[in-house]
């Protein structure tokens, strides 16, 4: 037997052994629930045969029968609760065979070469990872023809692919990265492993339901089910984790015969894609989301971000030479429509935006980003800091009437050590919270609050079915999985002084644009940028921090003087 075959058989054997260990926990729980019934049956049978007679035995039989009935009813209810609990689904954008025929063929060819069942469907997620996801639970149904429920997918798992991979990776690299993932479909079809996974997912879902707010009068039963499920989950979690490790090892061994050498190189691109995607979301997308705008081509943007990273980082040097090869996004019929759908889903996941565009939630192209996002962001923040200064009764600076940078600088440098910053930072934080709450209230009457029913179909880019697509993607049905999405925080909460520094930077940038010919720009790795003569100025933050943290305005005055920026001149606010 070859080494690969032996490794694969060992991995499969280990996975099945751990699956049986998980199932033994389920069997043990069932046996415990049946013990009172077994005792009652023995006592009743003994009485029927005349061997266990007398008042004492009659009392024992009655007590045993009552206890058995209560335990069986409770166990049945708990089992039904666990079985009905719907496992969490990853929010994704579906890729039908019509929307991505070449990608479906690539995956089917991989499955055939690996001799495993092909995934039942393909989906994209705004993340740098890929996996197989079981969506066969009865609760995962959507409305079909004539309102009849139908399953979201067949029994075979769904292949979820990280969308940045499609735009940054080349076709051969994507195939190499997906090979071990698709290979996992072989053991996913194993009855014991599938049953163990369903059991663990059911326990996890029951624990999550019990931890959430009560949704019915069955609160005691829900709490009981949650506690039992939590106990069983703790009992089998080690075996379940070991099972998944064995499955991954077996899948990796099975996939060694498919593009193994290229996979090592492609794994470097996975790490690079993750770094660029994280910077793009936190530095570029997040400022736009906070303004009610969502970049509609995030995946295309990650290519620009990673190209810039390759230019700056010598460790990534040379990766851009791959860009002459065919990108994996060419496997899609309409890459622009798919990118738009994933971009909207990313905004929902990481910021909590609405499920569809609207007056206060509109897309923005990269060409429009500097003017529509950067400039507007600066002027909005500059206006906010001057409103707060007005509320605090800070007098205007000497010079022409109107909001000036000099007013901000004079207030912050009045007392050494940055003492003036604390009061302004606290007032600015409170004002920003009120502004955000007001913006949320303004959006709700226009139907831009929570998204529609997650079971309803959506058109490309997450628009309601039938809405026009700018890329002509009406035929591609992109369904957003999941309902009330809780946004995943991209950054830790900002302190008051962090907010104050951001607002002072915005005021400086507005003054530079209005008085020294500067321009708003976009840096793919750092987000909003100030351009002077077409070059990015990355040296602004240090003098601003000296002003905010220490109350020392001299470094900022020197910086402004070197560029010909006049802080006493009024600026245009939003």
């Amino acid at each position: 037997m070859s080494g690969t075959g032996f490794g694969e058989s060992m991995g499969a054997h280990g996975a099945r052994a751990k699956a049986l260990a998980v199932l033994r926990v389920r069997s043990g729980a069932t046996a415990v629930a049946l013990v009172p019934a077994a005792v009652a049956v023995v006592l009743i049978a003994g009485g029927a045969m005349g061997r266990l007679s007398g008042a004492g035995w009659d009392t024992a039989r009655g007590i045993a029968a009552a206890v058995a009935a209560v335990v069986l009813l409770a166990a049945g209810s708990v089992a039904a609760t666990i079985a009905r609990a719907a496992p969490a689904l990853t929010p994704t954008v579906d890729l039908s065979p019509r929307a991505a025929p070449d990608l479906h063929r690539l995956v089917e060819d991989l499955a055939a070469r690996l001799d495993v069942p092909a995934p039942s469907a393909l989906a994209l997620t705004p993340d740098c990872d890929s996996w197989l996801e079981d969506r066969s639970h009865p609760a995962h149904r959507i409305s079909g023809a004539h309102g009849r429920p139908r399953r979201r997918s067949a029994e075979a798992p769904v292949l979820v692919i990280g969308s940045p991979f499609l735009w940054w990776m080349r076709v051969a690299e994507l195939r190499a990265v997906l090979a071990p993932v698709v290979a996992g479909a072989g053991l996913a079809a194993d009855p014991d492993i599938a049953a163990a996974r369903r059991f663990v997912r059911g326990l996890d879902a029951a624990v999550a339901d019990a931890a959430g707010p009560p949704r019915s009068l069955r609160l005691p039963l829900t709490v009981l089910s949650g506690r039992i499920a939590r106990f069983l989950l703790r009992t089998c979690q080690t075996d379940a984790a070991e099972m998944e490790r064995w499955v991954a090892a077996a899948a990796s061994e099975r996939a060694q015969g498919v593009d193994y050498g290229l996979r090592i190189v492609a794994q470097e691109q996975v790490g690079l894609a993750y770094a660029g995607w994280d910077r793009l979301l936190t530095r570029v997308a997040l400022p736009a989301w906070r303004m009610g705008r969502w970049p509609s081509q995030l995946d295309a943007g990650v290519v620009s971000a990673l190209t810039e990273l390759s230019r700056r980082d010598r460790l990534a040097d040379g990766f851009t030479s791959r860009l002459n090869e065919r990108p994996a996004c060419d496997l899609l019929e309409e890459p622009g429509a798919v990118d738009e759908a994933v971009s909207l889903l990313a905004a929902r996941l990481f910021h909590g935006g609405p499920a569809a565009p609207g007056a206060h939630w509109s897309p923005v192209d990269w060409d429009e980003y500097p003017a529509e996002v950067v400039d507007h962001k600066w002027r909005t923040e500059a206006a906010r800091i001057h409103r707060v200064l007005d509320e605090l009764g800070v007098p205007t600076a000497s010079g022409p009437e109107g909001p000036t940078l000099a007013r901000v600088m004079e207030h912050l440098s009045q007392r050494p050590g940055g003492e003036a910053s604390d009061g302004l930072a606290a007032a600015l934080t409170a004002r920003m919270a009120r502004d955000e709450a007001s913006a949320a209230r303004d959006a709700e009457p226009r139907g831009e609050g929570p998204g529609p029913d997650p079971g309803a179909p959506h058109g490309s880019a997450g628009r309601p079915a039938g809405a026009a697509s700018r890329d002509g993607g009406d035929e591609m049905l992109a369904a957003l999985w999941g309902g009330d999405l809780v946004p995943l925080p991209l950054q830790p909460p900002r302190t008051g002084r962090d907010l104050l520094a951001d607002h002072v930077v915005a005021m400086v940038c507005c003054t530079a644009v209005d008085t020294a010919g500067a321009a708003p720009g976009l840096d793919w790795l750092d987000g909003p940028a100030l351009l002077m003569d077409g070059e990015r100025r990355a040296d602004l933050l240090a003098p601003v921090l000296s002003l905010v943290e220490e109350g020392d305005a001299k470094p900022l005055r020197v910086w402004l003087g070197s560029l010909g920026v006049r802080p006493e001149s009024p600026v245009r606010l939003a």
Side-chain angles (χ1 to χ4, degrees):
M1 181 179 293
S2 66
T4 300
F6 178 75
E8 181 177 352
S9 63
M10 287 294 294
H13 176 76
R16 292 190 185 97
K18 292 301 178 180
L20 292 175
V22 172
L23 295 177
R24 280 195 293 271
V25 174
R26 185 183 67 177
S27 301
T30 303
V32 170
L34 293 176
V35 166
V39 172
V41 168
V42 170
L43 292 176
I44 293 172
M49 297 173 65
R51 295 183 179 181
L52 301 176
S53 58
W57 287 111
D58 291 339
T59 302
R61 272 189 289 271
I63 294 175
V67 171
V70 171
V71 171
L72 286 176
L73 286 175
S77 299
V78 170
T81 301
I82 293 174
R84 284 197 304 267
L89 283 179
T90 304
T92 58
V93 173
D94 285 349
L95 285 179
S96 67
R98 188 173 186 177
D102 291 341
L103 182 58
H104 276 263
R105 279 193 291 269
L106 182 148
V107 173
E108 290 168 0
D109 175 67
L110 264 180
R113 293 173 63 183
L114 294 167
D115 192 23
V116 297
S120 62
L122 303 183
L124 293 184
T125 184
D127 194 5
C128 291
D129 198 3
S130 298
W131 63 91
L132 293 171
E133 183 169 279
D134 185 358
R135 294 178 175 174
S136 60
H137 192 277
H140 299 156
R141 298 176 182 270
I142 55 178
S143 298
H146 308 294
R148 298 191 186 96
R150 60 181 176 87
R151 288 185 184 273
R152 290 185 185 268
S153 66
E155 291 296 328
V158 173
L159 175 60
V160 180
I161 305 172
S163 65
F165 293 165
L166 286 179
W167 271 260
W168 178 244
M169 289 186 173
R170 308 299 97 181
V171 172
E173 293 171 345
L174 180 68
R175 182 174 56 245
V177 168
L178 292 182
V181 182
V182 175
L187 286 180
D190 182 87
D192 293 332
I193 294 175
R197 283 175 165 175
R198 283 195 299 271
F199 177 59
V200 173
R201 283 196 303 268
L203 294 178
D204 185 67
V207 170
D209 285 350
R215 291 176 292 182
S216 68
L217 298 177
R218 300 167 58 226
L219 179 60
L221 182 59
T222 302
V223 172
L224 176 63
S225 300
R227 290 179 177 176
I228 293 176
R230 188 177 293 107
F231 171 76
L232 295 176
L233 198 57
R234 284 198 302 265
T235 303
C236 68
Q237 64 181 1
T238 300
D239 289 324
E242 288 291 332
M243 177 186 70
E244 296 300 339
R245 279 193 284 269
W246 278 111
V247 168
S252 179
E253 291 291 339
R254 180 185 283 270
Q256 279 191 1
V258 179
D259 300 329
Y260 181 72
L262 181 59
R263 192 181 316 147
I264 299 175
V265 178
Q267 285 299 329
E268 298 179 352
Q269 302 305 320
V270 172
L272 191 65
Y274 182 86
W277 184 248
D278 180 70
R279 292 289 289 265
L280 186 73
L281 292 182
T282 56
R283 307 293 181 88
V284 179
L286 191 57
W289 293 338
R290 286 171 174 161
M291 293 176 48
R293 307 295 300 274
W294 51 279
S296 58
Q297 303 295 323
L298 281 178
D299 290 300
V302 79
V303 178
S304 298
L306 291 172
T307 302
E308 178 65 17
L309 180 63
S310 301
R311 186 182 69 83
R312 296 185 192 179
D313 189 347
R314 64 180 181 84
L315 295 178
D317 186 30
F319 285 151
T320 53
S321 61
R322 313 158 30 262
L323 300 181
N324 295 325
E325 304 172 17
R326 186 190 182 195
C329 62
D330 279 359
L331 300 173
L332 307 175
E333 286 293 287
E334 300 182 44
V338 174
D339 195 358
E340 194 174 357
V342 174
S343 299
L344 180 57
L345 179 56
R348 293 192 66 201
L349 282 174
F350 299 112
H351 184 66
H360 293 267
W361 187 242
S362 56
V364 60
D365 292 330
W366 292 125
D367 292 340
E368 303 168 348
Y369 187 94
E372 298 292 331
V373 175
V374 179
D375 187 73
H376 188 66
K377 172 184 181 293
W378 287 343
R379 298 191 185 279
T380 298
E381 292 179 348
R384 182 181 294 120
I385 195 172
H386 278 283
R387 283 198 300 270
V388 172
L389 290 174
D390 292 340
E391 294 170 357
L392 296 176
V394 176
T396 59
S398 58
E401 293 295 328
T404 64
L405 174 60
R407 181 192 188 192
V408 178
M409 295 172 63
E410 289 181 11
H411 177 71
L412 293 176
S413 60
Q414 282 179 352
R415 285 176 277 179
E419 295 180 16
S421 298
D422 293 333
L424 182 56
L428 193 62
T429 302
R431 179 73 196 194
M432 188 170 180
R434 292 196 301 270
D435 290 347
E436 291 177 349
S438 177
R441 287 194 301 269
D442 290 343
E444 287 178 2
R446 294 170 172 82
E448 299 167 33
D453 182 356
H458 290 69
S460 63
R463 285 186 284 273
S469 169
R470 291 185 298 171
D471 295 290
D474 293 335
E475 295 180 356
M476 185 200 72
L477 194 63
L480 300 183
W481 291 76
D484 298 331
L485 300 181
V486 178
L488 306 173
L490 288 175
Q491 291 179 331
R494 293 177 293 176
T495 66
R497 286 203 173 186
D498 289 338
L499 290 175
L500 177 57
D502 290 344
H503 284 68
V504 174
V505 167
M507 189 66 206
V508 173
C509 292
C510 289
T511 306
V513 170
D514 290 350
T515 68
L522 167 61
D523 184 279
W524 289 109
L525 297 176
D526 295 323
L530 180 68
L531 304 181
M532 293 292 296
D533 298 326
E535 295 293 329
R536 177 192 173 217
R537 296 302 303 240
D539 55 349
L540 172 58
L541 185 58
V544 167
L545 289 179
S546 295
L547 175 64
V548 171
E549 299 289 345
E550 304 171 10
D552 183 7
K554 184 177 179 180
L556 183 56
R557 293 188 187 277
V558 172
W559 189 90
L560 295 172
S562 67
L563 298 179
V565 180
R566 301 187 299 275
E568 71 281 358
S569 299
V571 299
R572 176 176 57 87
L573 302 181

